Amino acid sequence: MKKTILLAISIILLNSSVKTVAQTTGTLTFTYTPIAHATGNFNADKRYVLAIWISTNSGLFIKTINKYCDAAYYDKLPNWSTYAGCGYSGTPLVADATSSICQTTGAIVGGVLTSYAPRTIVWDGTSTSGSLKQDMVYNIRIEETWGPSTGNTVIGFFPFVKGPNVDDQTTGIPNDANFKDISLIWQPTLTTESFAAATATVFPNPSNTGVFNLAVKDSVTAVKVYSILGAILSNETVSLSNGDTKTLDLSSYNNGLYIVSVTNNKGTANYKVVLDK
């Protein structure tokens, strides 16, 4: 009898622990400008196709946010169509009646684009089914094709932390040959004041030694370092003022992307750093 009671208590405790996963409500705002390509465009003009979706850091599909592509060109977005489970095949492409047809519920959709204009997208933290996702590191993924061959396909991804703190990346994301003017900010619903993006600067970035310098441009009371999977690697209480510099030694960790989180009485800001020894 005692064993039965203990087993029942263990099951209740296990189920309770599962339900404690944080699920912060909020809004992700992502802005970018695709760069026009001079040759190889659809029908000899500057039309192009693209898709934007949210995934976990491991690549698990969460939700399509934007899709500008006619069904006839779904094979020109091979990464997105695979992630989203598009059921199109054959020449010309026809829909498979048993497929999910790309899971575009709630997304902004349209045909091929004719303008490389700046674009802004918003994610409310939910999946295609409308369920609020747990707090962790997610990626915004963009795929674009500007010609009749998938050899003209590019894909970019931008990690961010969904959680109770602001992840402000409105500055500092570099332009590349395909996307420019990139910014993103995760703003949790309960945070009423956004943290200034210039609160601190982390350099050198990337670091080939594993040592980073945190130059403070405002008061800072806590510094944390996360892995890209959201694991806390260090957590320090500090008292830093404008002009102070703190050394962060990550040399014992493997190469990759890490998140440096700084906090003061206004909130928290997160900065991506790259370790490349």
Side-chain angles (χ1 to χ4, degrees), residues 81-100:
S81 60
T82 298
Y83 275 105
C86 295
Y88 287 81
S89 61
T91 305
L93 293 175
V94 295
D96 174 0
T98 64
S99 75
S100 62

Side-chain angles (χ1 to χ4, degrees), residues 39-106:
T39 61
N41 298 292
F42 287 104
N43 297 336
D45 63 16
K46 292 188 180 299
R47 293 197 294 173
Y48 65 107
V49 296
L50 69 85
I52 303 176
W53 68 101
I54 304 294
S55 77
T56 64
N57 189 57
S58 62
L60 179 66
F61 176 88
I62 300 297
K63 189 175 187 177
T64 299
I65 304 300
N66 275 188
K67 186 272 294 182
Y68 293 103
C69 182
D70 298 320
Y73 293 132
Y74 279 4
D75 60 337
K76 309 305 181 188
L77 296 172
N79 291 277
W80 168 73
S81 60
T82 298
Y83 275 105
C86 295
Y88 287 81
S89 61
T91 305
L93 293 175
V94 295
D96 174 0
T98 64
S99 75
S100 62
I101 315 301
C102 303
Q103 304 185 64
T104 56
T105 301

Side-chain angles (χ1 to χ4, degrees), residues 20 22 35 53 62 105 107 130 164 166 183 202 210 214 224 226 247 265:
T20 60
I35 296 175
W53 68 101
I62 300 297
T105 301
V166 176
S183 71
V202 186
L214 178 68
K224 295 181 182 180
Y226 295 87
T247 299
N265 60 358

Side-chain angles (χ1 to χ4, degrees), residues 59-162:
L60 179 66
F61 176 88
I62 300 297
K63 189 175 187 177
T64 299
I65 304 300
N66 275 188
K67 186 272 294 182
Y68 293 103
C69 182
D70 298 320
Y73 293 132
Y74 279 4
D75 60 337
K76 309 305 181 188
L77 296 172
N79 291 277
W80 168 73
S81 60
T82 298
Y83 275 105
C86 295
Y88 287 81
S89 61
T91 305
L93 293 175
V94 295
D96 174 0
T98 64
S99 75
S100 62
I101 315 301
C102 303
Q103 304 185 64
T104 56
T105 301
I108 297 174
V109 300
V112 295
L113 290 168
T114 58
S115 168
Y116 288 81
R119 301 193 172 275
T120 297
I121 67 168
V122 176
W123 179 53
D124 63 0
T126 66
S127 65
T128 300
S129 65
S131 61
L132 184 63
K133 301 304 294 180
Q134 73 180 75
D135 293 353
M136 59 186 295
V137 177
Y138 290 91
N139 286 335
I140 297 173
R141 294 180 180 265
I142 305 179
E143 184 172 28
E144 176 188 80
T145 297
W146 62 90
S149 168
T150 53
N152 291 331
T153 295
V154 295
I155 187 167
F157 66 95
F158 306 94
F160 65 96
V161 180
K162 175 190 177 297

Side-chain angles (χ1 to χ4, degrees), residues 185-230:
I185 181 169
W186 164 259
Q187 182 76 42
T189 301
L190 298 179
T191 301
T192 58
E193 183 175 5
S194 181
F195 204 50
T199 297
T201 301
V202 186
F203 66 95
N205 191 17
S207 170
N208 58 16
T209 65
V211 176
F212 298 86
N213 296 304
L214 178 68
V216 174
K217 299 181 181 180
D218 199 346
S219 61
V220 170
T221 56
V223 178
K224 295 181 182 180
V225 178
Y226 295 87
S227 74
I228 194 61
L229 297 178

